[in-house]
Amino acid sequence: MMPWRRLLPIVGLVTVGLLAACSSGTKKPQPTELPPVAALMGTRLAWSAQVGEGHASLVPLAVAGRVFVAGKSGTVAALDAATGKDVWRLNLATPLAAGVGSDGQMAAVITGNNQLVAIADGRELWRVRLPARSFTTPLVAGQRVFVLTADRTVTAFDGKTGARLWSQNRPAEPLVLSQTGALLAVGDTLVAGLSGRLAGLNPVNGAVRWEAPVANARGTNEVERLVDIVGPVSRIGNSVCARAYSAAVGCVDASRGTVVWTRPAQGTTGVHGDDRLVFGSETNGRFQAWQRGTGEPAWGIDRLKYRGLSAPLAVGRVVAVADASGLVHLVSREDGSEMTRLTTDGSPIEAAPVLAGDALVVQTRNGGVYAWRPQ
């Protein structure tokens, strides 16, 4: 079996013609028409599963040989990453707003009525009510569960009991973004997206260690000043790169809490990358690569414009990005040229693809979970 990192282009420069998307007046631009698939690399569908209708804040998570998924009606499941079979499945019988977070053992989701629910081995451990809504996957780490709520408050809970340990709030803005934010561990620091900043917190007590601005609020009204950090983010060692909603992309050194670079960018979905490049799409669907060290543009492609792109996943020599028609586009990391396309059930794929072992996994809005392996 050939790993994704070895899937290199096998032809030279290929030029294809695309029909440019156009609009007249206020008509919504039509998705760019796709040419016949290039099929320059081989993949096979390894398995598929069903978890029920989802939405953009129910993000699949691959950890410890399992793929954790959830449907908005309340189903939460841990799937075997090798086969797609249920390890366990639980119906919480209540709509879900965000999840699934897990350390491989405990899982956590957030319900539509603002409850944080902890699960282990397919049974509910505890649930607590949150003071505000959340659209961000909980972070389960160090026998604790960390939650970022939409009012820009980070709260830590004891993983065994659900007891609240500490809470850190930032000044609230008039508007908040109903979209997945950033919450991750970098060494012994908890990193959270708070407004247009990445903040490093002490996970023991919530004390702020540093703050690094990716974008500053500007404009004359609340909408123009909305610059929340959106997930997912790209972490390589101490380098954390993120997008501020419709404002900028930037990278931060999380060991020192300093901004390495920022660059204006108009996208609204998260980024991903490797040790050389960071990838993301603009609002109009232009797919872009930046140099991780400097922020200089590396390349950009327009053939996926207006296709409703998800956040990407960099995996070996390719970058995977999904769209609103249920397609997964695999493009070359080096120049964005098409490698192949993968099909699902035709419903939108709103969350970024994830890597589970050697399998590329996506979840569709209709609840289909699909995993492919390279050939």
Side-chain angles (χ1 to χ4, degrees):
M1 183 176 296
M2 185 179 297
W4 295 96
R5 67 177 65 90
R6 293 185 181 177
L7 293 171
L8 299 169
I10 58 175
V11 298
L13 180 65
V14 177
T15 302
V16 295
L18 298 178
L19 296 179
C22 60
S23 61
S24 58
T26 59
K27 183 180 179 181
K28 183 178 179 180
Q30 294 301 301
T32 300
E33 184 175 332
L34 297 172
V37 62
L40 301 181
M41 56 178 281
T43 62
R44 64 180 178 86
L45 183 65
W47 53 261
S48 63
Q50 176 63 229
V51 74
E53 186 179 358
H55 55 69
S57 294
L58 295 175
V59 181
L61 173 70
V63 59
R66 297 177 178 181
V67 179
F68 293 86
V69 291
K72 72 177 184 180
S73 65
T75 297
V76 185
L79 309 178
D80 185 288
T83 65
K85 302 296 184 182
D86 283 6
V87 177
W88 54 257
R89 182 175 290 242
L90 175 66
N91 186 359
L92 294 173
T94 186
L96 299 182
V100 182
S102 178
D103 59 0
Q105 298 300 318
M106 179 191 298
V109 296
I110 298 172
T111 70
N113 61 355
N114 304 345
Q115 289 185 319
L116 171 65
V117 183
I119 304 164
D121 298 321
R123 62 184 181 87
E124 182 178 324
L125 295 179
W126 49 261
R127 65 172 66 196
V128 296
R129 182 167 295 279
L130 301 173
R133 300 182 68 187
S134 177
F135 306 98
T136 300
T137 298
L139 174 66
V140 182
Q143 298 185 337
R144 297 185 177 197
V145 182
F146 301 94
V147 172
L148 172 65
T149 46
D151 62 353
R152 300 179 180 86
T153 298
V154 181
T155 307
F157 298 89
D158 184 278
K160 293 181 179 179
T161 66
R164 190 174 73 87
L165 301 176
W166 55 260
S167 185
Q168 175 65 251
N169 21 12
R170 313 305 288 165
E173 301 288 343
L175 296 179
V176 295
L177 192 64
S178 58
Q179 188 171 326
T180 298
L183 191 63
L184 69 154
V186 181
D188 65 349
T189 297
L190 176 68
V191 177
L194 301 176
S195 190
R197 297 170 175 262
L198 287 174
L201 310 178
N202 184 333
V204 176
N205 55 22
V208 178
R209 290 175 170 168
W210 51 260
E211 291 191 10
V214 176
N216 293 311
R218 297 179 179 178
T220 59
N221 58 58
E222 288 83 358
V223 174
E224 292 175 344
R225 295 177 61 82
L226 188 62
V227 291
D228 277 339
I229 300 293
V230 297
V233 301
S234 173
R235 179 207 168 187
I236 301 291
N238 289 319
S239 170
V240 178
C241 301
R243 182 188 294 279
Y245 181 87
S246 197
V249 169
C251 289
V252 169
D253 182 340
S255 65
R256 298 181 296 172
T258 56
V259 176
V260 179
W261 59 265
T262 62
R263 180 172 290 271
Q266 293 300 310
T268 59
T269 55
V271 298
H272 201 253
D274 54 29
D275 58 349
R276 292 198 305 110
L277 299 171
V278 178
F279 308 96
S281 60
E282 298 297 87
T283 305
N284 65 2
R286 177 174 172 80
F287 195 68
Q288 180 73 47
W290 298 270
Q291 298 287 345
R292 190 179 197 97
T294 65
E296 290 298 316
W299 52 259
I301 57 174
D302 290 327
R303 67 174 182 274
L304 302 178
K305 290 180 73 171
Y306 309 113
R307 299 198 61 83
L309 299 182
S310 72
L313 172 73
V315 48
R317 294 290 182 174
V318 298
V319 184
V321 61
D323 72 17
S325 66
L327 294 174
V328 183
H329 306 267
L330 300 186
V331 305
S332 167
R333 181 187 67 172
E334 302 303 323
D335 59 9
S337 58
E338 182 181 68
M339 301 303 295
T340 195
R341 262 179 249 144
L342 311 173
T343 59
T344 60
D345 56 22
S347 64
I349 302 171
E350 297 169 305
V354 298
L355 187 65
D358 64 347
L360 179 72
V361 180
V362 300
Q363 180 177 344
T364 70
R365 184 186 292 173
N366 283 353
V369 186
Y370 297 83
W372 296 269
R373 291 194 174 96
Q375 289 182 322

